[in-house]
Amino acid sequence: IGALLVEGFRESLRGNNWVSDIRGKGLMIGIELSHPCPELVDRARERGLLINVAAGNVVRLLPPLIINRQQAQHILTTLSEIINAFEPKD
């Protein structure tokens, strides 16, 4: 599931100029943006997702170990939409 999420994010966020790196180890996933993005926490919560932003610009995901493919796909789709709509404030 972790590899599915990382590869899915790499595909769905390809071409997004704000995404610097996408990395993962098991189900620990980090999506690094080139700008601070703390407002993404509230945007994700409004859509039913709990995420964390570490170091000001890394979206950190730690889904439960019992996550299934359908739930992972929901996270992938929803969070990709949120990140692709992100416009940093300079």
Side-chain angles (χ1 to χ4, degrees):
I1 300 284
L4 175 121
L5 283 168
V6 170
E7 290 306 315
F9 281 121
R10 286 184 178 147
E11 179 65 29
S12 64
L13 298 174
R14 181 174 309 181
N16 185 312
N17 295 329
W18 313 121
V19 177
S20 302
D21 189 25
I22 299 170
R23 54 189 174 267
K25 181 140 182 132
L27 284 173
M28 295 185 299
I29 298 165
I31 302 169
E32 184 175 350
L33 303 181
S34 59
H35 290 75
C37 58
E39 65 268 23
L40 293 184
V41 173
D42 291 332
R43 291 181 190 179
R45 189 179 316 114
E46 290 168 1
R47 304 271 309 266
L49 296 181
L50 292 176
I51 65 169
N52 187 14
V53 172
N57 67 324
V58 179
V59 176
R60 183 169 47 185
L61 301 175
L62 296 166
L65 297 175
I66 59 171
I67 190 171
N68 63 40
R69 288 186 182 276
Q70 181 181 6
Q71 293 165 329
Q73 187 61 49
H74 174 70
I75 292 169
L76 176 61
T77 302
T78 305
L79 191 55
S80 293
E81 289 172 1
I82 292 167
I83 292 172
N84 279 323
F86 174 65
E87 290 290 330
K89 299 172 187 161
D90 289 328

